[in-house]
Amino acid sequence: MRILLMNMSPKNYGATQEILKTMQEAAPKGASTELVCLGDWEIGYCKGCKACYQTRACVIKDGMEPLLHKLGQADVLVLAAPSYWADVPGVCKSFIDRCTAYSDTNPDPEAPRLAAGKRCYGIALRTGTRPVECEHILQTIEHWCGHMGVAYAEGLYFCQIEDKKDIGPHKALLREKAAAWFAE
Ligand SMILES: Cc1cc2nc3c(=O)[nH]c(=O)nc-3n(C[C@H](O)[C@H](O)[C@H](O)COP(=O)(O)O)c2cc1C
């Protein structure tokens, strides 16, 4: 099984990274895992031109092509995003917008699509106490899955997370989730 863990924030050393590192370390021995942070990739803004509807490719040549290739290779996806101003971070939104060529909103029947059979888990985190912001972020991830032909399997969220030191108390739960989510 190939598992792709995606840190949907610009920061590869924070709480989101700590969550995904914990899950990666708890993955079953036989699984192949990769952890990527969107902040480490060049991802330009979608121009809204819809040229991809005609050409089946984005006019912008940057980190999206290799990232989409990684998505294509994975069986299981874990998308984790912190709340920035009660929403996903800008780089996460850019990533989502740039998936348009692969989305079922692309009317071209020959357009590129991710292979069927992938499943995705969502994780949201925030510093504040009320779950509503996290629920919104999980809905965004579920919405992305719906248009990308990926089965949204489960969401998990954490409130009162300022930085990576706040993840310590949740590591046992994250290891449990890794065992359940990454089972064959
Ligand atoms: C630009 C910015 C905006 C943020 N906005 C919110 C917010 O609206 N609500 C909230 O609860 N936390 C907010 N936070 C706090 C982050 O969600 C929290 O620190 C999270 O743990 C960051 O994850 P990271 O360490 O992986 O970057 C914000 C943080 C940043 C940097």
Side-chain angles (χ1 to χ4, degrees), residues 25-151:
E25 285 161 13
K29 288 279 172 287
S32 118
T33 65
E34 185 173 10
L35 169 48
V36 297
C37 174
L38 292 188
D40 295 336
W41 295 78
E42 197 191 331
I43 302 174
Y45 299 119
C46 173
K47 295 173 183 291
C49 65
K50 296 187 183 170
C52 60
Y53 285 3
Q54 316 300 327
T55 64
R56 300 168 191 170
C58 185
V59 295
I60 308 169
K61 302 299 169 206
D62 59 10
M64 276 306 287
E65 227 164 308
L67 274 175
L68 283 161
H69 180 73
K70 287 181 190 299
L71 279 174
Q73 301 287 302
D75 305 301
V76 175
L77 308 172
V78 181
L79 269 55
S83 171
Y84 278 17
W85 287 85
D87 217 316
V88 293
V91 68
C92 173
K93 185 60 169 65
S94 288
F95 170 85
I96 290 172
D97 291 349
R98 292 285 306 285
C99 287
T100 301
Y102 284 74
S103 140
D104 65 4
T105 56
N106 184 340
D108 179 353
E110 301 299 320
R113 296 268 188 263
L114 293 179
K118 298 179 196 299
R119 66 178 189 271
C120 176
Y121 299 88
I123 301 178
L125 56 144
R126 66 171 301 209
T127 298
T129 54
R130 290 183 310 127
V132 60
E133 277 180 27
C134 290
E135 287 161 0
H136 169 66
I137 287 169
L138 293 177
Q139 280 163 10
T140 299
I141 295 170
E142 186 173 4
H143 183 89
W144 175 84
C145 288
H147 284 295
M148 294 292 282
V150 174

Side-chain angles (χ1 to χ4, degrees), residues 18-32:
E18 190 69 9
I19 286 171
L20 293 177
K21 260 167 53 186
T22 305
M23 297 196 88
Q24 184 179 33
E25 285 161 13
K29 288 279 172 287
S32 118

